[in-house]
Amino acid sequence: MPMAETTVTTQVKSPLRPVSKEGLEKLAANAKANPDVVKSLKVKTVCEGQFRNLTYVRDLPAHVIDEPPSLLGQDTAPNPSEAVLACLGSCLSVGIHANAVMRGITLTKLELELEGDINITGVWGIGDLSEKRLGFTDIRVKVDLEGDATREELEELVAHSNYWSPVANTLRLPVNMEVSLA
């Protein structure tokens, strides 16, 4: 009886577009030499109409924020709370990728799924105004990460990046905030 031929297909994964390790090392050296530097970031938000807002950052095209139809928006862009999750996901991704490069880990996949629980019955202060927690109460992030490292090394990489994430810490820790009429 002839032996059956077996074909094995191997999927070769390409590394993520690299970050400059030299650039990261220079940033790290500058930060260590000047540990008390605080930078003020500025954006400008302009309401276009209904709940569609255009936010301008540096010289970039406007970042659009809207609301879904269930909240009387045009559904042309993420709503503000979804944008917060997007910012958290991007910040964690940047930290994971930068720390992977510094540790000599080549990543071939980096995807984050974020989910947040938020009570929206207060509807911007015009809905149910009974006492309740405003904003997200719980956020869950699942990181789908592949690279040339052990699972334990990848878990440590994720934990380290979460600990040092500016956006994660902004959500975790109280922030001094002032809102006033111009």
Side-chain angles (χ1 to χ4, degrees):
M1 186 170 227
M3 244 177 132
E5 285 188 37
T6 304
T7 304
V8 177
T9 305
T10 304
Q11 183 179 359
V12 177
K13 295 193 175 194
S14 300
L16 298 179
R17 189 167 12 112
V19 177
S20 165
K21 186 170 184 179
E22 289 174 6
L24 289 171
E25 289 169 342
K26 184 177 178 183
L27 280 173
N30 286 342
K32 288 175 184 175
N34 303 293
D36 297 324
V37 171
V38 173
K39 182 175 181 170
S40 294
L41 304 178
K42 296 180 181 185
V43 303
K44 181 177 183 176
T45 299
V46 178
C47 182
E48 192 178 62
Q50 272 183 281
F51 292 136
R52 184 177 158 95
N53 287 279
L54 306 176
T55 297
Y56 298 91
V57 180
R58 298 188 308 269
D59 294 328
L60 300 171
H63 180 82
V64 181
I65 299 290
D66 198 354
E67 291 286 355
S70 62
L71 292 174
L72 307 178
Q74 298 171 313
D75 205 20
T76 61
N79 74 22
S81 298
E82 292 165 330
V84 168
L85 292 177
C87 292
L88 175 59
S90 295
C91 189
L92 290 168
S93 177
V94 166
I96 291 167
H97 198 183
N99 280 279
V101 169
M102 290 301 286
R103 294 172 186 209
I105 298 171
T106 301
L107 298 179
T108 54
K109 182 178 186 181
L110 175 53
E111 296 179 6
L112 294 85
E113 290 188 26
L114 294 92
E115 184 176 85
D117 301 332
I118 187 168
N119 182 324
I120 62 168
T121 60
V123 196
W124 316 294
I126 61 170
D128 172 17
L129 303 183
S130 61
E131 196 168 312
K132 65 184 75 178
R133 165 82 186 256
L134 301 175
F136 285 110
T137 56
D138 294 281
I139 296 176
R140 293 167 295 284
V141 182
K142 294 288 183 191
V143 181
D144 191 356
L145 186 59
E146 295 176 8
D148 61 354
T150 66
R151 179 167 181 86
E152 292 75 25
E153 289 170 320
L154 295 177
E155 286 173 348
E156 205 305 298
L157 177 64
V158 169
H160 180 82
S161 299
N162 176 34
Y163 180 83
W164 288 100
S165 164
V167 175
N169 281 294
T170 298
L171 293 170
R172 274 193 288 269
L173 305 171
V175 175
N176 299 322
M177 185 168 67
E178 178 184 319
V179 180
S180 61
L181 187 61

